[in-house]
């Protein structure tokens, strides 16, 4: 999944931030950028433009988390805003027999996601983690 590129939007006015500096850190993030840029129901979107402070349980220090996307869209319920993180499903849960590295990743991610959830509650948004299941809606994708 490792892949890094600059995304050049076809609809730069929809992007909230500097549209010349949209970095995709994976092909999955690039897919979300394309979707946000081309979907007429997306009003505004941004990528890694918001910094959320969180306390790391690893070093007990404050750090800043930059969620992958902030997406404002209209649907039948009105206008909604989602803060979105794109991650492989295996990084969204802690296995019973997890390696030291997997436990480390889970611990950091969990602290970030708790901070994001609290931030979203405060500002009346929803925090979503999109995995390959949601991105590709394919029962065969593990």
């Amino acid at each position: 999944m490792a892949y890094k590129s600059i995304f050049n939007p076809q609809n730069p006015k929809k992007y909230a931030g500097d549209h010349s500096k949209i970095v995709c850190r994976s092909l999955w993030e690039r897919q979300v950028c394309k979707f946000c840029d081309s979907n007429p129901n997306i009003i505004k979107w941004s990528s890694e433009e918001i910094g959320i402070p969180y306390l790391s349980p690893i070093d007990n220090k404050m750090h800043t988390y930059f969620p992958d996307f902030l997406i404002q869209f209209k649907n039948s319920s009105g206008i909604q805003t989602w803060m979105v993180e794109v991650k492989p499903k295996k990084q969204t849960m802690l296995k019973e027999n997890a390696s030291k590295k997997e436990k480390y990743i889970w611990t950091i991610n969990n602290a970030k996601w708790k901070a994001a959830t609290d931030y979203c509650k405060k500002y009346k948004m929803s925090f979503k983690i999109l995995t390959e299941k949601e991105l590709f809606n394919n029962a065969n994708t593990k």
Side-chain angles (χ1 to χ4, degrees):
M1 191 170 114
Y3 172 88
K4 187 174 176 183
S5 67
I6 301 295
F7 181 78
N8 296 307
Q10 298 296 309
N11 299 292
K13 289 183 181 180
K14 287 174 61 171
Y15 190 78
D18 186 344
H19 66 83
S20 69
K21 296 180 181 178
I22 305 170
V23 176
C24 300
R25 300 184 194 285
S26 71
L27 289 172
W28 296 355
E29 286 183 16
R30 189 164 190 78
Q31 189 72 21
V32 174
C33 287
K34 287 179 182 179
F35 176 81
C36 290
D37 187 43
S38 65
N39 188 307
N41 292 321
I42 304 291
I43 299 165
K44 283 191 184 268
W45 68 283
S46 64
S47 176
E48 297 184 357
E49 296 281 351
I50 292 178
I52 300 172
Y54 74 97
L55 180 65
S56 169
I58 301 296
D59 63 9
N60 207 31
K61 293 180 181 176
M62 293 303 292
H63 295 266
T64 304
Y65 166 47
F66 294 91
D68 292 330
F69 298 97
L70 191 64
I71 305 169
Q72 185 182 54
F73 62 95
K74 58 185 173 186
N75 64 14
S76 59
S77 301
I79 295 175
Q80 296 184 0
T81 303
W82 284 7
M83 182 177 290
V84 175
E85 182 67 23
V86 177
K87 279 285 184 249
K89 187 154 183 73
K90 68 182 181 182
Q91 289 184 13
T92 65
M93 59 187 99
L94 185 60
K95 297 184 296 188
E96 191 173 311
N97 61 344
S99 70
K100 190 173 182 178
K101 181 179 178 182
E102 290 169 329
K103 288 177 184 175
Y104 176 87
I105 290 169
W106 164 253
T107 301
I108 295 293
N109 283 344
N110 201 39
K112 290 176 180 180
W113 299 338
K114 182 187 180 319
T117 299
D118 292 345
Y119 182 96
C120 286
K121 283 180 186 174
K122 182 177 178 181
Y123 293 101
K124 299 184 182 354
M125 297 186 274
S126 296
F127 180 66
K128 306 285 183 185
I129 300 171
L130 300 183
T131 68
E132 57 273 26
K133 181 181 176 187
E134 292 81 18
L135 290 170
F136 304 109
N137 198 18
N138 182 345
N140 295 326
T141 304
K142 303 272 187 232

